[in-house]
Amino acid sequence: MRTIDWVDGAIEIIDQTMLPGELRILRLHTVGELVAAVQSLAVRGAPALGVAGAFGVALAARVHADDPQALALAVRRVETARPTAVNLARGAQRAASQLNRGPQAVLEEACRVRDEEIAASAAMATRGADLLTQLCGARARLLTHCNTGGLAAVTVGTALGVVHELHQRGRLAGVIASETRPLLQGARLTSWELTQWGIEHRVAVDSAGPFLMARGEVDAVILGADRICANGDVINKIGTYAHALGARRAGIPFVVVAPESTIDLDTPHGGAVPIEDRGAAEITPWADAVNPAFDVTPHDLVTAIVTDRRVITGSPAATA
Ligand SMILES: CSC[C@@H](O)[C@@H](O)C(=O)COP(=O)(O)O
């Protein structure tokens, strides 16, 4: 099942704010609706955001075909709806590169972005499962963070796609889904997807991760990325850095799985990435708060980055 697609002239998404309680399909007809869906995290996860960005520009191209100024403004709104995952602006820009050829060409490019992410998921699953088996032996107990499944990447996903592949191969000995404060992408979405796939798992609070690794309950950490910088720094959901530190202390592999579309060679290092802060209301309406949605894991804590084309063990720029 595709969790985001273009259907009969509109974008269809699974509304991820409603899971796991309700499987609701949303149809988005306007750029305003798409931007609202991105900002509320009804659609989320870096590869899915790339597809959302591309389809968002396809919507804009239809509505504003005769008004170049309004069109440029709409494209900008889509590109900047969220700042951290490089895929969103990249997907929007790819679709926008066809604007001079008309709305149909824009839509065709957006569909190519979608199809490439579907193919990337399949390639990452195979390559990632091979690597995890090399690193962990016959059966791996994995800890994952946030949601990196089909919800985040149109079909099977990035890191969770690898988990699924290992399960299919009979090489998975356990999964811990880190709950992912404050919006619970792990506890709500990863748990939901694993349940759909019939994969047994346990949910843990985020802060338990490093302790569970220290206690010897995890063979490797596997998760996704919103942006990977030229030097290999990994930007991902808040909590990732703590898991990387825990993995290093426990002496277990820390593996990042992300498509090439998440690698941003134009950004030299993690310090240069805009980190979205989602404000106090999301976590504590009664006090001021700091609420970064992502963190930076320095490249030296990363064992390997698995993409749809390669396994990177140093700087992505060096092996591009
Ligand atoms: C395959 S998705 C990889 C990342 O996008 C994912 O780990 C993540 O951090 C998503 O954050 P979110 O705020 O839910 O969009």
Side-chain angles (χ1 to χ4, degrees):
M1 170 184 197
R2 292 176 182 174
T3 56
I4 174 167
D5 208 353
W6 183 270
V7 183
D8 297 334
I11 305 170
E12 273 192 8
I13 60 166
I14 290 182
D15 182 351
Q16 300 190 36
T17 65
M18 302 304 289
L19 289 170
E22 185 186 335
L23 181 57
R24 180 186 291 180
I25 307 294
L26 280 186
R27 280 181 62 78
L28 311 172
H29 299 89
T30 66
V31 167
E33 288 172 358
L34 184 268
V35 168
V38 166
Q39 292 177 342
S40 68
L41 274 54
V43 57
R44 49 147 297 283
L49 286 176
V51 177
F55 282 148
V57 171
L59 280 179
R62 294 186 151 203
V63 177
H64 301 298
D66 301 324
D67 186 345
Q69 233 177 336
L71 180 54
L73 206 68
V75 170
R76 191 82 195 119
R77 279 182 74 200
V78 173
E79 277 174 353
T80 57
R82 290 184 80 193
T84 304
V86 69
N87 299 64
L88 177 62
R90 210 170 242 177
Q93 283 157 12
R94 263 189 67 178
S97 71
Q98 302 300 313
L99 281 169
N100 56 352
R101 297 181 52 226
Q104 187 55 30
V106 175
L107 178 58
E108 283 166 15
E109 185 67 18
C111 290
R112 270 192 291 278
V113 172
R114 174 202 62 199
D115 294 345
E116 287 171 23
E117 290 302 348
I118 292 172
S121 275
M124 286 182 285
T126 311
R127 184 168 290 115
D130 292 347
L131 178 71
L132 263 292
T133 303
Q134 258 175 47
L135 291 171
C136 302
R139 282 165 59 78
R141 297 164 305 161
L142 303 178
L143 182 142
T144 191
H145 187 60
C146 197
N147 170 264
T148 62
L151 291 167
V154 191
T155 51
V156 75
T158 61
L160 213 62
V162 174
V163 170
H164 180 257
E165 177 69 18
L166 285 167
H167 173 69
Q168 300 279 86
R169 295 182 187 183
R171 293 197 176 274
L172 190 64
V175 186
I176 293 172
S178 185
E179 67 172 351
T180 317
R181 292 278 302 155
L183 297 179
L184 303 179
Q185 288 92 331
R188 294 187 300 110
L189 307 177
T190 298
S191 179
W192 182 77
E193 288 199 77
L194 289 170
T195 304
Q196 301 285 310
W197 293 337
I199 298 179
E200 278 184 31
H201 60 280
R202 294 178 294 168
V203 172
V205 296
D206 294 347
S207 44
F211 176 60
L212 295 172
M213 296 175 214
R215 211 161 67 174
E217 295 188 28
V218 180
D219 297 317
V221 175
I222 183 168
L223 38 65
D226 289 84
R227 190 186 299 230
I228 296 171
C229 305
N231 72 342
D233 286 355
V234 170
I235 317 313
N236 191 47
K237 178 53 57 187
I238 190 76
T240 299
Y241 180 37
H243 290 322
L245 289 168
R248 174 56 55 90
R249 185 73 166 87
I252 60 173
F254 180 87
V255 176
V256 175
V257 185
E260 292 284 334
S261 57
T262 298
I263 295 179
D264 179 13
L265 296 181
D266 294 333
T267 301
H269 55 81
V273 177
I275 301 290
E276 177 182 10
D277 188 299
R278 295 190 54 85
E282 204 164 70
I283 54 174
T284 171
W286 57 86
D288 199 5
V290 56
N291 184 15
F294 303 95
D295 59 26
V296 179
T297 298
H299 57 91
D300 59 287
L301 293 178
V302 177
T303 308
I305 298 168
V306 178
T307 81
D308 41 315
R309 271 205 297 116
R310 53 193 167 142
V311 175
I312 303 166
T313 51
S315 137
T319 56

